[in-house]
Amino acid sequence: MTDALPAGLSGLVIDGRHVETAERLDVVDPATGRVVADISRGGPEHVDAAVAAARAAGEGPWVRTTGRDRSKVLLRISELIRENAEELVRLESLDVGKPVGLCRPVDVETAAEQYAYCAALAQTMDGSVRSTPFPAHAYTVREPVGVVAAITPFNFPLVLSSTKIAPALAAGNTVVHKPAADTSLSALFMGQLFLDAGVPAGVVNVVTGAGGVVGEALLRHPGVDKVAFTGSTEVGRHAAAVSGENLTQVTMELGGNAANIVFADADVESAVGAAVKAFVFNTGQFCMGGPRLLVERPLYETVLGILAQAVPGVPLGDPRDPATVVGPLASARQREIVEGYVEQAKASGARVVCGGGRPDLPGDLADGFFYSPTVLADVKSTDPVVAEEVFGPVLTVQPFDSEDEAVEMANGTPYGLAAGLQTRDVARAHRVASRLRAGIVWVNDWALLDPAVPFGGVGASGFGREYGPEALASYTRTKSVVVSLA
Ligand code: NAD
């Protein structure tokens, strides 16, 4: 077995030190199904030490840094991410099965841009002056919240940790990061990179381990001031309930099951292009993917015909091949979940337009967690494959007959993270966007995401917003100061 990480980096990161543990977590390469390395597995005692380090660091020189000081550090992190791009791509691809050709422009660039954007935000920690009826000078200041528990899921390890850590640092907080147990490599690598960038010891700590152990201990820790959680709705509900008991501030970025509506006036080729991107991106393990395609009836069979031709041609295979677009699912368990949904749909009479099983791949890849991009027609809104979050490369296609029906179907699940519509009618674009129950709506494309544009959920997709100035606000508290002038 070889080490996946550079020497000395497979330990937890606590107070600026790499702490190796006797208990280990296996690192499995999803492209081959093989265990390729192991990393440290933390326990509650490591959570205690990490929270203590974060609290101490938050009371040290870090709390006296200005926004401009932190901005310089964040810019350096952004630079170091780009300087270490090759290594980060290797780690994310090995850990998650991400195709290397997409990992550099998507994951690494998004993370680098996120730190650069938050470097600018760090300089906007402004308050305001308020007028009052009494003779007083009243003003507000924004302060960091304190110790942030950043809990992240398996599908975008680098991007989603940056989405939390960058604004948390910009606002002057300290962090304990708990990445997903299956995909922790980039978090441990970043633990060293923060130190190299000049982040003081203890300001960012990383504790890898099982969700029910490390995540649970972190959630319940009285030293945590804010829980920034991204993950499934099921675990999010639990995390919100525990945080409620402790009165800990929370942000909840949870599951999604977005609808993509194609109106009959859409540019069909571009609409189908957006639809394919929406469901194969990151092998469908994308909370803001578009797994439910709703097509106005006159175009229904045409769209199915184009999908049947186009989808099998999307390059699938070795994530190390720069031409690959669809890699394996991140774990055997995730593939089993996806397979379960598709088999159930087939048994209920769904029409398999393409895919519907495991591809035949040569050599080592035969044991990888691959699943062919699958398009299903003749499904009902109540079928689990439509109603629930599948989180794999599966697209269901349903016809509709009117704008009202499309909106009703799109809004017909408890989720509300993203939605999209494809139309040439500008008035309809704005009208329908305003009626869709979602944190972000894309018109005539999909997955246009940028650190400046906020996203977040409605309903079972959670609450709070990440990205944009909203992210900085969510890592600060407002304090009012009223000075009597009498
Ligand atoms: P998950 O809920 O299983 O795990 C998320 C994190 O919570 C992991 O770090 C896990 O170890 C931890 N965890 C598990 N049990 C815990 C507990 N009892 N206490 C504290 N922490 C615990 O999610 P996942 O399978 O890793 O990720 C997939 C899910 O994440 C999907 O539902 C997807 O839609 C969602 N997601 C949402 C967004 C968003 O921005 N809204 C982004 C990406 C993924």
Side-chain angles (χ1 to χ4, degrees), residues 152-155 178 211 215-216 229-232 235 253-255 287 389:
T152 52
F154 76 82
N155 59 331
K178 188 258 174 266
E216 190 72 30
F229 179 88
T230 299
S232 63
V235 179
E253 293 285 355
L254 308 180
C287 55
E389 183 186 42

Side-chain angles (χ1 to χ4, degrees), residues 25 35 63 82 214 220 253 303 317 331 392 411 466 469:
L25 273 177
V35 176
V63 79
R82 290 206 172 94
V214 169
R220 295 188 177 277
E253 293 285 355
V303 165
S331 64
N411 290 343
E466 295 193 313

Side-chain angles (χ1 to χ4, degrees), residues 256-259 287-289 415-420 437-442 446 456 461:
N257 189 7
C287 55
M288 290 195 244
Y415 295 104
L417 196 56
R437 192 169 163 273
I440 191 165
V441 178
W442 289 294
W446 199 271
S461 293

Side-chain angles (χ1 to χ4, degrees), residues 54-55 57-67 69-71 74 118 121-123 125 142-148 164-175 203 225 472 475-476:
R55 286 220 82 78
E59 285 155 15
W62 183 245
V63 79
R64 288 185 291 281
T65 53
T66 63
D69 297 331
R70 296 193 297 275
S71 178
L74 288 164
C118 287
L121 281 186
Q123 303 196 39
M125 287 271 286
R142 285 160 75 187
E143 299 179 336
V145 176
V147 175
V148 173
K164 300 188 183 320
I165 297 172
L169 294 185
N173 298 280
T174 59
V175 177
V203 169
D225 300 296
L472 186 75
Y475 288 94
T476 65

Side-chain angles (χ1 to χ4, degrees), residues 180-267:
D182 285 345
T183 58
S184 299
L185 292 181
S186 61
L188 294 174
F189 185 80
M190 287 296 294
Q192 178 60 43
L193 194 140
F194 292 127
L195 296 167
D196 295 345
V199 176
V203 169
V204 182
N205 306 274
V206 184
V207 186
T208 49
V213 179
V214 169
E216 190 72 30
L218 195 52
L219 268 186
R220 295 188 177 277
H221 205 291
V224 167
D225 300 296
K226 168 167 176 136
V227 171
F229 179 88
T230 299
S232 63
T233 298
E234 187 191 357
V235 179
R237 264 203 185 96
H238 169 70
V242 172
S243 304
E245 275 170 37
N246 293 348
L247 295 178
T248 310
Q249 189 184 320
V250 286
T251 306
M252 286 285 148
E253 293 285 355
L254 308 180
N257 189 7
N260 179 11
I261 307 171
V262 179
F263 287 99
D265 66 9
D267 173 329

Side-chain angles (χ1 to χ4, degrees), residues 334-412:
Q334 197 56 34
R335 181 169 63 176
E336 272 165 31
I337 293 171
V338 172
E339 271 174 338
Y341 276 110
V342 174
E343 291 309 312
Q344 191 177 31
K346 285 188 203 165
S348 311
R351 175 172 26 137
V352 179
V353 176
C354 60
R358 301 180 182 191
D360 279 330
L361 290 172
D364 287 357
L365 302 180
D367 295 325
F369 312 136
F370 293 89
Y371 196 78
S372 300
T374 297
V375 177
L376 300 174
D378 303 340
V379 288
K380 297 183 294 299
S381 296
T382 49
D383 291 341
V385 74
V386 181
E388 297 172 16
E389 183 186 42
V390 175
F391 224 54
V394 179
L395 182 72
T396 62
V397 192
Q398 296 176 273
F400 68 86
D401 292 301
S402 68
E403 193 173 295
D404 281 347
E405 190 190 7
V407 170
E408 192 182 324
M409 289 168 80
N411 290 343

